[in-house]
């Protein structure tokens, strides 16, 4: 049996910062699978040609936590329920039998 991997130790104390996050840096590279020239944010890439994606840990800086997202909805707010879409229209089949013309 393989031992279960442990998560990285997080600092016990988290300071809540109200400072805005720095803007992401646009980076460019070649796809490691097909060689297509691709662009990404902070060293994280996804190739639209072959589907290759590099590991998120290869980025230039850490990913922000959810509570650092300025667009995150306030606590206690739920996502609105999706209304059901319009009912599908019934499909009418053409009448069976040979077609008669005028």
């Amino acid at each position: 049996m393989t031992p279960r991997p442990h998560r990285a130790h997080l600092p016990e104390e988290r300071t809540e910062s109200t400072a805005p996050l720095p803007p992401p840096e646009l980076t460019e590279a070649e796809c490691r699978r097909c060689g297509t020239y691709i662009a990404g944010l902070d060293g994280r890439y996804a190739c639209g040609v072959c589907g290759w994606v590099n590991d998120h840990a290869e980025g230039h800086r850490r990913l922000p936590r959810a509570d650092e997202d300025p667009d995150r909805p306030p606590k206690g707010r739920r996502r609105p329920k999706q209304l059901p879409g319009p009912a599908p229209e019934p499909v009418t089949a053409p009448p069976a039998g040979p077609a008669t013309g005028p």
Side-chain angles (χ1 to χ4, degrees), residues 18-81:
T18 57
L21 295 173
E25 177 187 352
L26 183 63
T27 53
E28 300 167 338
E30 284 187 14
C31 172
R32 294 182 196 159
R33 186 183 295 164
C34 69
T36 302
Y37 191 70
I38 55 177
L41 295 176
D42 292 331
R44 293 177 178 92
Y45 304 103
C47 180
V49 176
C50 69
W52 172 81
V53 177
N54 72 330
D55 188 70
H56 72 277
E58 295 179 32
H60 298 162
R61 46 186 153 172
R62 73 171 180 82
L63 292 171
R65 297 186 319 257
D67 59 347
E68 294 173 326
D69 184 0
D71 298 326
R72 183 179 184 192
K75 289 183 180 181
R77 184 174 165 196
R78 292 184 178 175
R79 182 177 295 197
K81 288 186 177 181

